[in-house]
Amino acid sequence: MARIRCDFFSETLGLSTSMTVLLPERAATQIGMSGSTRTGDPPVLYLLHGLSDDDTTWLRRTSVERYVAPLGLAVVMPQVARSLYADQEYGSQYWTFLSQELPKVCHSFFRLSRRRADTFVAGLSMGGYGALKWALQQPGRFAAAASLSGALDLASRHRHPQRPLDPATWHAAFGDRTVRGTDDDLLTLLDRATSVPTRSRPDTGNTDGAGHGAGAASGAGAEAGRGAGAGSVAGAGSDGDRADGDGGLPALWIGCGTGDFLYDDNVRFADALQRAGVPATVDFSSGGHDWEYWDRAIRDVLAWLPLAPTTD
Amino acid sequence: MARIRCDFFSETLGLSTSMTVLLPERAATQIGMSGSTRTGDPPVLYLLHGLSDDDTTWLRRTSVERYVAPLGLAVVMPQVARSLYADQEYGSQYWTFLSQELPKVCHSFFRLSRRRADTFVAGLSMGGYGALKWALQQPGRFAAAASLSGALDLASRHRHPQRPLDPATWHAAFGDRTVRGTDDDLLTLLDRATSVPTRSRPDTGNTDGAGHGAGAASGAGAEAGRGAGAGSVAGAGSDGDRADGDGGLPALWIGCGTGDFLYDDNVRFADALQRAGVPATVDFSSGGHDWEYWDRAIRDVLAWLPLAPTTD
Amino acid sequence: MARIRCDFFSETLGLSTSMTVLLPERAATQIGMSGSTRTGDPPVLYLLHGLSDDDTTWLRRTSVERYVAPLGLAVVMPQVARSLYADQEYGSQYWTFLSQELPKVCHSFFRLSRRRADTFVAGLSMGGYGALKWALQQPGRFAAAASLSGALDLASRHRHPQRPLDPATWHAAFGDRTVRGTDDDLLTLLDRATSVPTRSRPDTGNTDGAGHGAGAASGAGAEAGRGAGAGSVAGAGSDGDRADGDGGLPALWIGCGTGDFLYDDNVRFADALQRAGVPATVDFSSGGHDWEYWDRAIRDVLAWLPLAPTTD
Amino acid sequence: MARIRCDFFSETLGLSTSMTVLLPERAATQIGMSGSTRTGDPPVLYLLHGLSDDDTTWLRRTSVERYVAPLGLAVVMPQVARSLYADQEYGSQYWTFLSQELPKVCHSFFRLSRRRADTFVAGLSMGGYGALKWALQQPGRFAAAASLSGALDLASRHRHPQRPLDPATWHAAFGDRTVRGTDDDLLTLLDRATSVPTRSRPDTGNTDGAGHGAGAASGAGAEAGRGAGAGSVAGAGSDGDRADGDGGLPALWIGCGTGDFLYDDNVRFADALQRAGVPATVDFSSGGHDWEYWDRAIRDVLAWLPLAPTTD
């Protein structure tokens, strides 16, 4: 694998920022490592960090580069500070940055597959929430999404801050507005994704052409919230920053340690998935809200990813 | 010189963050470069970035490492996002991070002089404002401070946003409160620094023992605002995260291009310095708000810095 | 621009190594900077370091990222240690790494134009030698090549070591063999490139399919030495690691400071170019073997590069 | 922990090079991580890479930063290319760089304990050999040394190359000379360290004042080879690039997977230790020459390290 630290400028944030990227590389003579590449541009996993982390954390706390090496899979790890993956009420448009600008930037820099079947998202804690928010808002972009110890009932987190900085973080992201019932609430997004008649669903994965401008995000996101199910895919832009949706929700993986303070939230979300008839792989096992669990769980996620052996 | 990219965790921000650090190194055989070291721990320049930049920008836009090499000077370049070097009303305690935590962290990692005579701060645009805010709030820490195209009348900037993202940036930093007349207003800090009787001035440079906790900052900053002049220096902690103040304001360098949209603000601040009887090197020359000017001006600043040839 | 530090594995070297890469990025709101992108994959400049440097040096000693930003040009900066850009007699196959593996790796990772008209090489000192060696051995790959203070008569350098480490460096690269008259001698390469009948010239730029294996290099290089002129271009592989040669030598830029210890070598090479009837831009001006000169000369080179405004 | 990528210039190598350094940091609020610091400068582990690796590899293939975080231990990871940790016959003085210059450079940049009780070295494969070579040549520097899958009978490796590049690597390092019986042979170093009368032993750990110059290495190394046992410690320089030896060999840890091609070499070395009456922790368990083993074994080594809870 190649490890890349990429310092670039985000127009959405108006800020220089960093991402860490792993790219597949054939490495027949590298000692103690196997490598793999595929024909054509590699599939890509967007891997999202937790509340106190940045783009470097996944690589530093786990052996994710080693686990990924035999899969021929690229990994993109952005940084979004303590934004809760939101377009902050007071601050910056991190959600627009992630869901609209980042894929365009990555595709303009790196050779990565643009196919939905080759595009995945996963994350831990705040990043598990971000991964599912992205997957539910833009189901046409991803073949699979995984949450590790995700803050899956974010709206309820407001009432249970874990650390002294949490209230300020919440207030910057959402101000005084209610999260429940909005595009920032996974339960609402799930409800919309599964209750709207198939034929009429737009699929935001297809409509991210605007994207770059701050401020365009909220509206686009709102559209996206409704855009799930088996809707037909129209209007995939030729600038190709997205995968071609074939309709339906991405495959879902929900994992959490039973000793995690977010365990109950995960149970509730898994129940909601079941009630909605959405198939998902649910993996609740012993573990806490720590890197021992995440170093184990990310391997389970990688083994579960529906990686296409060949292009269809 | 050694160039360091340091990814570390800030307790104040509750966030993984980065700094770029240059450390002096004798380099007799490096082709095309001279090097220099001093006896003992090197002097240090905190070099602050502008609104859209991060810790990598100074190094990428100028040849600052090359300019610094013969001086035996270390350079610390932190990142503070679009925080306006404030403890944000909605967001994070970037001011406390910079002015309290960062020096402690740097001294715990790197061998750097703790003497006031060896400690300097400079910055461009938003960072020019940050440099003077730091110097006026903690005059006991710095022997010299320089502003390049600084936003020196920040309070007036509120009424003249330059870019679409600016109002959101302002609101996150200051909410609805007034900046004029507070510790975030350089004119107010200057007034306090020069109007308080000498004997009674506390010098916050000496009282940053607490520092690490978020929330402790505002009060400390307020004290600091009054702490200038020739006050006696007491209580320099043995943990040594600071220089020993010998009283008085740091030497000041105020530079701006005459074609810069911030030129008028700089003229006003220079006038205020003159009225207050504060000596300063003022350098207004042709130039805009761009890196051609800053690549030139930083060399002027480095030549101006009162670098001690030996320890006193 | 995006700045990338890429840590990857070279099969040719059997070693993890680093490159620094700059990629164009549109940056309308980045303060003090302009940005530019082009339609399609960007042109690329391979920028080679000198004897004591690595992939980070160009960026740290000059403002090359800033100079390149308005051009929409990508820059690839590899590292080759003190190899003299040779397949070392004792050591590693750095020449094969550079001239065969690196372009393949770059094209597999990054979106870069593969067209000859969009591909350039430049370097300083040892890297100026490397740039011309590459351009003369694989003229079908490059539209232009520039040498800044290049060690253009390397064979004569053997008798004039500049520093204590130089003899060991020479011996590792070439052992006891003679450089004059071989593919490592620019004068010999120039002679071959201009004396062989056009029709029969193979163009190694086209035949680097093997490339990845260590050991294949010497032969390929030997072939390449003869591959200049206006030869027809055949067999451009579909893996596309190269530009399409349109025959003839690349445009050449030869620059050196008149106070440089390599000035005489540069004069001799410029004379040889003239005798051979090879057009070149020769720029001898005041300056030494130092970064003040190179920071100035690289701007001249960038202004001179025949960047295509559009694809032909 | 802080992760540092440090690009610096080595006078010994005449080359810009990189090291990766981990520094302890108290991190009470970093999610999923514990942190720890000690009073005073932290203990330090020099962690050496294998044949095809560089300074980034340990961090990318294992979770070593996470494992080290609770220990308050700094980790220094240099890069030495494919040098076999030798002063190369044809090439560069990598052994001198490692054993003389690197500690000086690290102590000039970072706050690290200089005490022998706080100084450790470990490595894998070629780096396991390097770790023991360093520990046996400068026993006064280290309290403990560990070899993971080390090439502990390097002299015999010459006859059993594993990969096509190995003969060239060997030849660059040793030319045509015999390794057996020299300072590059661990069995010879062990023999010297245990057969020389205690009182008369010099301890090179104490005499590395020269160090920086290339060429000084061979002699110093030769002296060092004899410098083991309980010799008195004299002349620790005030520049403090070393720990204070209290005599005797460092504590030793020898581990290897039973499925490793180097297993027999490790058995032979463990036998030699036993015959010489040198106590060592020997850990042969199932495993191969791969990162699954090293990610496990480094945790065993960290648990075994005789970390001092307080300064004596």
Side-chain angles (χ1 to χ4, degrees), chain D residues 35 38 52 58 72 98 111 121 128 134 172 184 206 209 263 268 300:
Chain D
R38 293 149 177 276
S52 65
W58 268 106
L98 177 77
R111 297 208 173 270
V121 62
W134 201 358
D184 295 310
N206 300 322
Y263 176 60
R268 274 199 304 280
D300 294 337

Side-chain angles (χ1 to χ4, degrees), chain A residues 50-180:
Chain A
L51 185 64
S52 65
D53 302 338
D54 69 6
D55 62 293
T56 69
T57 312
W58 267 106
L59 196 63
R60 292 158 66 188
R61 302 281 183 273
T62 73
S63 303
V64 64
E65 181 178 346
R66 175 161 55 93
Y67 307 149
V68 162
L71 305 178
L73 176 69
V75 181
V76 172
M77 292 166 282
Q79 66 170 221
V80 300
R82 296 174 63 92
S83 68
L84 302 181
Y85 292 93
D87 280 345
Q88 292 179 296
E89 197 75 16
Y90 305 103
S92 298
Q93 305 290 94
Y94 280 104
W95 175 246
T96 302
F97 163 69
L98 177 79
S99 63
Q100 306 285 354
E101 185 181 14
L102 181 71
K104 282 184 198 291
V105 167
C106 287
H107 283 292
S108 77
F109 290 167
F110 308 115
R111 297 207 173 272
L112 302 170
S113 173
R114 300 172 194 273
R115 300 172 62 250
R116 185 200 195 218
D118 292 334
T119 308
F120 315 102
V121 62
L124 75 88
S125 196
M126 177 181 87
Y129 160 80
L132 293 194
K133 181 180 172 183
W134 201 357
L136 292 172
Q137 287 207 14
Q138 300 182 356
R141 191 189 288 279
F142 300 105
S147 164
L148 297 79
S149 318
L152 301 189
D153 189 5
L154 193 73
S156 76
R157 283 296 109 203
H158 187 20
R159 298 186 302 271
H160 306 289
Q162 292 289 307
R163 291 174 180 78
L165 297 180
D166 289 358
T169 299
W170 184 276
H171 201 68
F174 301 121
D176 296 320
R177 72 179 174 84
T178 303
V179 167
R180 186 73 77 210

Side-chain angles (χ1 to χ4, degrees), chain A residues 1-11 14 16 23-30 41 105 107-112 114, chain C residues 1-11 14 16 23-30 41 105 107-112 114:
Chain A
M1 302 291 286
R3 179 191 68 168
I4 284 172
R5 186 79 185 270
C6 178
D7 296 293
F8 66 107
F9 184 76
S10 162
E11 292 280 348
S16 292
L23 293 178
E25 192 184 10
R26 192 179 296 106
T29 62
Q30 194 169 16
D41 296 337
V105 167
H107 283 292
S108 77
F109 290 167
F110 308 115
R111 297 207 173 272
L112 302 170
R114 300 172 194 273
Chain C
M1 302 290 287
R3 180 192 67 170
I4 283 171
R5 186 80 185 267
C6 177
D7 296 293
F8 67 107
F9 184 76
S10 162
E11 292 280 349
S16 292
L23 294 179
E25 192 183 9
R26 191 178 298 106
T29 62
Q30 193 169 17
D41 296 335
V105 167
H107 282 292
S108 77
F109 290 167
F110 309 114
R111 296 207 174 272
L112 302 171
R114 301 170 195 273

Side-chain angles (χ1 to χ4, degrees), chain C residues 158-230:
Chain C
H158 187 20
R159 299 187 301 273
H160 306 289
Q162 291 289 307
R163 290 174 181 78
L165 297 180
D166 289 358
T169 299
W170 185 276
H171 201 67
F174 301 121
D176 295 321
R177 73 178 173 84
T178 303
V179 168
R180 185 74 76 210
T182 73
D183 288 338
D184 296 309
D185 178 27
L186 295 184
L187 294 167
T188 302
L189 291 173
L190 178 63
D191 190 49
R192 289 179 185 165
T194 53
S195 61
V196 175
T198 297
R199 288 288 95 188
S200 62
R201 288 175 200 155
D203 183 335
T204 338
N206 299 322
T207 57
D208 50 5
H212 269 275
S218 303
E223 285 303 305
R226 277 171 252 119

Side-chain angles (χ1 to χ4, degrees), chain B residues 1-11 14-16 23-31 41-42 65 101 105-114 212, chain D residues 1-11 14-16 23-31 41-42 65 101 105-114 212:
Chain B
M1 301 292 287
R3 180 191 66 170
I4 284 171
R5 185 79 184 268
C6 177
D7 296 293
F8 66 108
F9 184 76
S10 162
E11 292 280 349
L15 188 65
S16 293
L23 294 179
E25 193 185 8
R26 192 178 295 106
T29 62
Q30 194 169 17
I31 296 168
D41 295 336
E65 181 178 347
E101 185 180 15
V105 167
C106 286
H107 282 293
S108 78
F109 290 168
F110 308 115
R111 296 206 174 271
L112 301 171
S113 173
R114 302 170 195 273
H212 268 276
Chain D
M1 301 292 287
R3 179 191 67 169
I4 284 171
R5 185 78 184 271
C6 177
D7 296 294
F8 66 107
F9 184 76
S10 162
E11 292 280 348
L15 189 65
S16 292
L23 294 178
E25 192 184 10
R26 192 179 296 106
T29 62
Q30 194 169 15
I31 296 169
D41 295 336
E65 182 178 346
E101 185 181 15
V105 167
C106 287
H107 283 292
S108 77
F109 290 168
F110 309 114
R111 297 208 173 270
L112 301 171
S113 172
R114 301 170 195 274
H212 268 274

Side-chain angles (χ1 to χ4, degrees), chain B residues 150-157 160 187 254 256 260-271 284:
Chain B
L152 301 190
D153 188 7
L154 192 73
S156 76
R157 283 296 109 203
H160 306 289
L187 294 167
I254 312 294
C256 191
D260 193 313
F261 72 94
L262 292 172
Y263 176 59
D264 289 347
D265 295 30
N266 275 264
V267 169
R268 273 199 304 280
F269 190 79
D271 288 348
F284 296 151

